[in-house]
Amino acid sequence: MAVDELHKELGKVGFDDVRPSHGFIFQKISHGGSTGKELAEHMGITKQAASLTIDYLEERGYVIRQPHPSDQRGKLVVLTQRGWDCIQATETIFTSIQQRWHEVLGEERSEALLTDMRKLVHSSMDAQAFLFRPVW
């Protein structure tokens, strides 16, 4: 529900070509970039699938491949300004959605719900599950 609303709103502000799975990539590379192999492992997909996804995002101006600083053969995938702008728009939209939830449920109940959801997520996680990745 919230993800559908997010992507509808992202489309209205010029980001109609991003998909929910792209957010996991943006989050991963927002901390200094990642290699295609690292993205494949993070997403739980093949290196070929990761490469196709990186191509898609690069063609649309969200990411670029740069020389890897410590591996002359490797490339590092990093966000462009358009990628950062998409993240900022996502944060703004999610804040708006959360504010609406606060208005509907009330501040106290809304915060309690978020706390309860965090507890449920953390109670079912092992160390590997703390990766912010899709569950295909």
Side-chain angles (χ1 to χ4, degrees), residues 3-114:
V3 173
D4 292 337
E5 182 178 349
L6 166 68
H7 283 275
K8 179 181 174 185
E9 295 301 315
L10 282 172
K12 290 179 183 178
V13 294
F15 302 108
D16 59 343
D17 51 358
V18 292
R19 304 292 172 256
S21 63
H22 298 152
F24 294 98
I25 291 174
F26 289 178
Q27 196 279 335
K28 174 71 174 165
I29 65 177
S30 68
H31 300 284
S34 294
T35 65
K37 180 182 176 187
E38 290 168 339
L39 287 173
E41 290 171 358
H42 176 71
M43 298 290 290
I45 58 178
T46 65
K47 288 187 280 186
Q48 293 81 4
S51 182
L52 289 173
T53 304
I54 295 164
D55 289 346
Y56 176 92
L57 293 170
E58 189 170 39
E59 289 165 5
R60 286 154 182 81
Y62 293 100
V63 303
I64 57 171
R65 289 175 171 103
Q66 296 180 335
H68 195 285
S70 61
D71 179 358
Q72 292 182 345
R73 297 174 296 144
K75 296 285 184 186
L76 199 61
V77 181
V78 297
L79 289 165
T80 63
Q81 186 59 52
R82 179 166 172 76
W84 284 110
D85 291 346
C86 185
I87 288 175
Q88 184 176 19
T90 297
E91 291 172 349
T92 299
I93 294 165
F94 267 135
T95 298
S96 175
I97 292 168
Q98 188 174 15
Q99 181 58 40
R100 191 178 69 245
W101 292 354
H102 286 329
E103 291 167 6
V104 170
L105 297 174
E107 192 76 26
E108 185 177 319
R109 183 64 208 122
S110 180
E111 287 301 322
L113 177 61
L114 290 172

